[in-house]
Amino acid sequence: GRFFATTTASTSTTTTTAADNDKASSPNELDQILAEASFLTKSLYRSCLRSCRIIRYGNPADWDEFRRRQEQEELERARRRQQNETEDPRLAGLLSMLPPTDPEEELASRYEYYRQHTRETFFQASDCLSDVYAAPPPTTTRTTHN
């Protein structure tokens, strides 16, 4: 536990906090932990942002998928043109309701999604840590034997 008791002949009630015990064992320990946590968090945050920038341009699997979808769209357009020529000429101008594949737009959108998600996640975690360290330490009553 975080609380320590000493044993002596008499009994007394003492009110102490977790912060009091930390200060008693090492005055700078909390500051050191906060500095280390800050360094690690910022380092991880920068690494996550670099990862977002890397995926921004896609990888071979992404580009294969874009090509496959573009070929599928072209085949579908050709099929519709052929079908429209043999059927009602008024249907010749009909288009698919789906937007065409746009690799650059999809990659930019994916990058922005992950970048925003990273920022929100880190800021939420930062706010939680700030709240924890800003809150007064819990008070505990304990009995020691003196």
Side-chain angles (χ1 to χ4, degrees):
R2 294 181 62 122
F3 299 97
F4 304 96
T6 57
T7 304
T8 59
S10 66
T11 303
S12 65
T13 301
T14 306
T15 301
T16 186
T17 64
D20 291 335
N21 285 326
D22 287 339
K23 289 177 186 172
S25 62
S26 174
N28 296 324
E29 188 173 11
L30 181 59
D31 291 337
Q32 291 170 350
I33 290 170
L34 289 174
E36 187 175 333
S38 176
F39 172 79
L40 292 172
T41 302
K42 289 173 185 174
S43 178
L44 180 59
Y45 178 67
R46 286 189 299 269
S47 294
C48 288
L49 289 179
R50 279 194 307 274
S51 295
C52 290
R53 284 191 298 270
I54 288 170
I55 67 169
R56 165 63 181 93
Y57 301 102
N59 61 39
D62 291 327
W63 290 102
D64 289 344
E65 176 65 15
F66 293 139
R67 272 190 295 280
R68 184 194 66 73
R69 287 176 32 212
Q70 287 170 332
E71 290 169 0
Q72 183 81 20
E73 290 168 4
E74 184 56 42
L75 289 173
E76 182 61 26
R77 281 193 295 274
R79 185 192 63 75
R80 277 196 313 273
R81 276 193 306 269
Q82 184 180 17
Q83 183 179 17
N84 290 341
E85 289 172 3
T86 59
E87 294 181 0
D88 190 342
R90 293 174 293 167
L91 300 176
L94 287 181
L95 299 173
S96 170
M97 297 305 285
L98 296 174
T101 300
D102 183 350
E104 290 303 322
E105 178 63 30
E106 289 185 37
L107 290 170
S109 177
R110 180 174 67 183
Y111 161 75
E112 194 57 39
Y113 169 82
Y114 283 113
R115 189 182 68 80
Q116 189 63 30
H117 177 75
T118 298
R119 289 188 62 183
E120 289 173 6
T121 301
F122 274 88
F123 289 140
Q124 285 173 358
S126 174
D127 289 345
C128 287
L129 286 173
S130 295
D131 292 345
V132 167
Y133 289 110
T139 302
T140 303
T141 302
R142 66 184 170 122
T143 302
T144 58
H145 300 282
N146 295 345

